[in-house]
Amino acid sequence: MEQSLFSIFASIVTSIVLEAAPFLLLGSLLSAILAVYVGDGALAGLSRRSLSAQIAAGLFAGLLLPTCDCGVVPVTRRLLKKGVPPGAAIAFMLAAPVVNPVCLVATWVAFQGDWRMAVWRAGLVMVPAALTAWVLAGTKRVELLRQDAHADAGGCACCCGHEHGHDHEHGHKRPPLRRGLPEVLRLTGREFLEMALFLIAGALAAAAFKTFLPQSWLGLVTGSLWAAVPALMLLAVLISICSEADAFVAASLAMFPRPALLAFLALGPMLDLKLLPTFLSVFKRRPALVVIILPACAVFALCMSLGLTGVLQ
Amino acid sequence: MSETRDSFATMPDRVDGLCLLCLGAFMAGLASSNLYWYFLNPKFRHLTLAAGAVLCLAALPQLLSPRAGRWSPAKLARQTALAVFLCLAMTAQNDADRAAVQFVQLKATTSSSATNSGSSDIMTGDADSTASPSPSAAEDTTPGADETRPNAPTVEAPATGPISARQATKVPSRATTAATPNGPTGASNEPLPGADETPPSGLTRLGPQSSDATRVNLRPVVGGVPYVRLNLAELYIMLDKGRKDYPPHFALRAQVLRSPKLDARGSVLLHRIAVVCCLADSLDLRFVTAGPGVDGLRDGDWVEVYGRLEPLTAANVGLPKLAPRGEGPGLGLVNPKFRITVERIDRLRGIDFPYVFEFREKEPFAW
């Protein structure tokens, strides 16, 4: 099994893309179904609720609509286009990859039935997600989404089939199930291709780090909380593991303090090398920076506080 | 003229469709091949296959009824990215195929040299070991054991042309893993003189109550001591969880890593790559190992070790830090608290699946 570094690199790129592709496809499919079969006003009713209710709905929507971080962005973009308020959509985008049954059970299993790790993980994702959603809640849709992100897909990817700009309302009627299927497939393919570009870019970067970064640096930071927490946050971003699997990797890093493990588990699903270019391509500059920076800072502050105060040993 | 213009106008959409079709076909093809496990845990095979099929379906509207559109930088970028990915993936797949062939040929070579020399590959042994054939050699005669291995004539006849790993190895599936615990790690030991003819006098079958227990020896007894079969990752995980109920004597299969610093302390590393989901999240789990016979091991040897755990004492607590850093795909982790003390080592011809994909908490382990 002697493999050259390039061969290992190519294998890791392949495995990341193949692992994420079904989930990205599922996200694209959900997005396409929303676009074709869900009327424009169907989800807009959420915007009449209070901000806290919107954020709460977004935080817990993952329990009903399990999505991993690989596929959550296209769904979020579609939700925003369908009139879901940013407070709910952003909270959903950041929290759903962790606050869903599959991920929570995986965390519980990986940590040998220690339910506290699953609860802490959910909490450490929900707080930054709620915070980010609250900051972006007042942003208008046109200030949130990039125009070119959807203009590329043959117009606005609204399945009307003609080229046009974005900021228009169609007042779609829901087509019959069979008539809508070709459009669902067409939109699924388009969404998938758009997001696959960023998935591949992220996989290339993550594989490069995993292949060429010496593993010895991990051993240098286990002793100090101040070094361990940022180091594992950086690791989570760089190696871009799916949120369904990262708990098993975290569980194997037992030499690190628990706050650092939780920082790894909380940040990875919200920010990694797959998501970074996706955020930058879907959101305009300011909201993209908020979505990238705020959760990272919040996770760092929370995990350090928990470690320094002795709440988490 | 107008037809030409139309076909040019629909070209971007068609190329998008072609990209989807190629990716879908690659995913479906890989999921159907015996190289899938080089990249992902076989439990995801059906998911990848289904996703590949859906991608092929999603390509149809764009290929069959393309819509007019313009080339844009974004379209070109995603089509290029997909082409680059497919090239890399094909390269990785070819490398995996080549590695599998080398692996199979290595087994054949080792087998041949061992047969020629007529030597047993028991590196060390207790008083009974010369009288009792290798436990695994006995397993080789079981029908279930052969099901997951390349058949001998294929691997020992390189003159028939290059051996494709797709033909030579079978992929571990949940079914085979569950049915035959040596499924994913199925191995064949060096033939011991008379192993085929002599009944396994030194062995006792104490496996689980399933029908498989009659075929696979999960608790071989060597020198009167029962050993529990498990894989190295299962042992590592038990210790990582702080469990004290690990088997006092166990048998596991692993690859040998040597380094000058550990050589000087009379130790080697035993390691196995554990794949949870995909190669990117794999862990290269390692134990410092010492005991009679380890000096004779070569770097890269596959061995079956019968041994026990020994807590690292003050004198040798620094041994894990002398271990070489990981160079393969997995994150290298050396157990910091325990080492394996060898009681017996059998050198294996090789094993079909160097990775482990299944980890159980209790017996029967997915060894």
Side-chain angles (χ1 to χ4, degrees):
Chain A
M1 288 296 289
E2 286 296 319
Q3 288 178 290
S4 69
L5 279 182
F6 180 76
S7 176
I8 292 171
F9 169 76
S11 299
I12 292 177
V13 172
T14 307
S15 66
I16 291 176
V17 173
L18 290 187
E19 187 195 28
F23 300 102
L24 181 60
L25 186 62
L26 184 65
S28 304
L29 185 64
L30 281 174
S31 167
I33 289 170
L34 283 172
V36 174
Y37 293 119
V38 178
D40 281 346
L43 299 169
L46 200 57
S47 58
R48 288 191 287 274
R49 303 263 178 95
S50 68
L51 179 58
S52 54
Q54 291 173 14
I55 292 175
L59 290 178
F60 293 103
L63 294 173
L64 299 174
L65 198 65
T67 322
C68 82
D69 53 328
C70 310
V72 76
V73 178
V75 177
T76 306
R77 184 172 65 170
R78 183 64 61 190
L79 289 173
L80 283 166
K81 285 190 213 169
K82 286 288 177 188
V84 172
I90 298 293
F92 168 76
M93 182 178 76
L94 295 175
V98 168
V99 187
N100 73 63
V102 180
C103 183
L104 292 177
V105 169
T107 308
W108 179 73
V109 170
F111 285 91
Q112 308 117 48
D114 185 353
W115 56 268
R116 286 172 303 178
M117 284 301 282
V119 171
W120 275 117
R121 184 181 191 188
L124 285 169
V125 165
M126 287 165 74
V127 172
L131 190 64
T132 311
W134 179 72
V135 168
L136 292 175
T139 313
K140 290 178 185 164
R141 196 178 63 169
V142 286
E143 293 167 358
L144 201 58
L145 292 175
R146 288 170 71 102
Q147 303 271 335
D148 52 344
H150 20 161
D152 175 57
C156 65
C158 61
C159 79
C160 54
H162 52 267
E163 292 199 40
H164 48 212
H166 256 283
D167 300 316
H168 65 285
E169 294 297 333
H170 274 285
H172 278 303
K173 289 177 184 169
R174 279 184 291 176
L177 185 66
R178 191 181 284 181
R179 219 182 110 222
L181 268 180
E183 278 310 319
V184 168
L185 283 176
R186 182 184 293 275
L187 277 184
T188 301
R190 281 180 181 169
E191 290 268 7
F192 179 85
L193 275 182
E194 274 183 45
M195 293 295 143
L197 167 65
F198 306 107
L199 169 64
I200 291 168
L204 288 168
F209 280 112
K210 195 160 168 56
T211 310
F212 303 112
L213 195 72
Q215 291 182 12
S216 49
W217 72 276
L218 270 181
L220 303 175
V221 295
T222 51
S224 153
L225 190 68
W226 286 99
V229 170
L232 282 201
M233 287 173 66
L234 184 64
L235 185 71
V237 173
L238 295 184
I239 63 177
S240 306
I241 305 175
C242 179
S243 60
E244 316 294 346
D246 56 0
F248 296 95
V249 174
S252 68
L253 299 173
M255 71 290 268
F256 281 89
R258 287 228 153 180
L261 295 180
L262 280 166
F264 176 87
L265 290 172
L267 185 64
M270 293 194 283
L271 180 68
D272 63 26
L273 283 183
K274 296 192 306 280
L275 291 169
L276 203 62
T278 314
F279 289 153
L280 290 169
S281 74
V282 168
F283 297 113
K284 287 189 171 173
R285 186 182 168 82
R286 181 188 159 271
L289 289 177
V290 172
V291 165
I292 290 166
I293 294 170
L294 193 53
C297 293
V299 167
F300 177 75
L302 287 168
C303 290
M304 287 304 298
S305 308
L306 291 171
L308 292 173
T309 55
V311 175
L312 269 178
Q313 292 295 334
Chain B
M1 190 67 182
S2 130
E3 268 182 28
T4 312
R5 204 167 43 236
D6 282 353
S7 71
F8 187 77
T10 56
M11 190 62 78
D13 217 22
R14 283 183 199 274
V15 175
D16 270 356
L18 196 62
C19 286
L20 286 172
L21 189 68
C22 289
L23 182 62
F26 174 77
M27 287 171 67
L30 186 66
S32 313
S33 82
N34 289 329
L35 293 175
Y36 184 80
W37 62 270
Y38 272 92
F39 304 99
L40 283 106
N41 190 317
K43 69 183 176 186
F44 294 117
R45 171 193 294 275
H46 299 297
L47 186 66
T48 307
L49 187 63
V54 173
L55 278 177
C56 291
L57 272 179
L60 292 182
Q62 280 156 305
L63 287 173
L64 300 179
S65 59
R67 288 177 181 163
R70 291 183 298 273
W71 292 101
S72 65
K75 268 185 188 164
L76 284 172
R78 71 195 188 201
Q79 288 161 1
T80 308
L82 216 63
V84 168
F85 167 71
L86 283 171
C87 289
L88 273 177
M90 297 298 285
T91 307
Q93 194 184 15
N94 286 337
D95 285 349
D97 199 17
R98 245 193 326 271
V101 170
Q102 285 171 359
F103 202 62
V104 169
Q105 284 172 340
L106 178 69
K107 286 175 69 175
T109 312
T110 317
S111 163
S112 167
S113 64
T115 308
N116 291 341
S117 65
S119 65
S120 161
D121 246 37
I122 296 177
M123 305 301 295
T124 181
D126 52 30
D128 292 351
S129 65
T130 50
S132 56
S134 156
S136 294
E139 280 163 32
D140 284 350
T141 62
T142 63
D146 286 333
E147 284 170 14
T148 55
R149 297 170 192 166
N151 58 46
T154 309
V155 296
E156 290 183 359
T160 57
I163 308 157
S164 168
R166 295 160 216 254
Q167 298 161 342
T169 60
K170 284 183 102 175
V171 179
S173 63
R174 288 191 84 76
T176 55
T177 309
T180 56
N182 61 345
T185 58
S188 45
N189 285 28
E190 298 289 20
L192 297 173
D196 286 341
E197 296 82 26
T198 313
S201 57
L203 309 180
T204 311
R205 293 186 186 279
L206 297 172
Q209 300 305 309
S210 72
S211 60
D212 299 309
T214 59
R215 292 195 288 142
V216 179
N217 186 7
L218 295 173
R219 281 200 170 202
V221 175
V222 179
V225 179
Y227 289 82
V228 174
R229 285 197 191 280
L230 78 176
N231 70 45
L232 189 144
E234 289 169 332
L235 184 62
Y236 196 104
I237 290 167
M238 288 174 92
L239 297 173
D240 205 34
K241 291 179 175 180
R243 282 173 54 178
K244 307 286 185 198
D245 58 340
Y246 54 82
H249 296 271
F250 51 81
L252 56 82
R253 291 170 173 181
Q255 194 174 28
V256 175
L257 274 180
R258 299 202 69 141
S259 79
K261 285 180 183 171
L262 284 174
D263 284 351
R265 304 285 296 270
S267 300
V268 297
L269 277 183
L270 290 183
H271 81 122
R272 240 10 233 279
I273 292 178
V275 177
V276 181
C277 284
C278 74
L279 199 60
D281 64 43
S282 62
L283 299 169
D284 187 353
L285 301 175
R286 302 160 172 205
F287 277 94
V288 173
T289 304
V294 299
D295 289 345
L297 297 174
R298 296 179 300 246
D299 196 40
D301 274 351
W302 282 95
V303 291
E304 182 161 68
V305 169
Y306 295 78
R308 59 189 159 79
L309 284 173
E310 187 182 309
L312 290 168
T313 55
N316 51 27
V317 76
L319 282 177
K321 290 182 179 165
L322 300 178
R325 297 294 172 185
E327 291 169 353
L331 181 64
L333 297 169
V334 186
N335 191 288
K337 293 180 183 167
F338 291 88
R339 74 174 177 186
I340 293 175
T341 299
V342 169
E343 287 162 351
R344 166 180 168 146
I345 300 181
D346 292 352
R347 185 182 286 147
L348 305 174
R349 290 177 192 170
I351 59 172
D352 292 341
F353 302 104
Y355 307 156
V356 284
F357 301 102
E358 191 176 353
F359 323 100
R360 296 184 189 162
E361 298 270 328
K362 55 185 179 182
E363 291 188 70
F365 292 103
W367 65 285

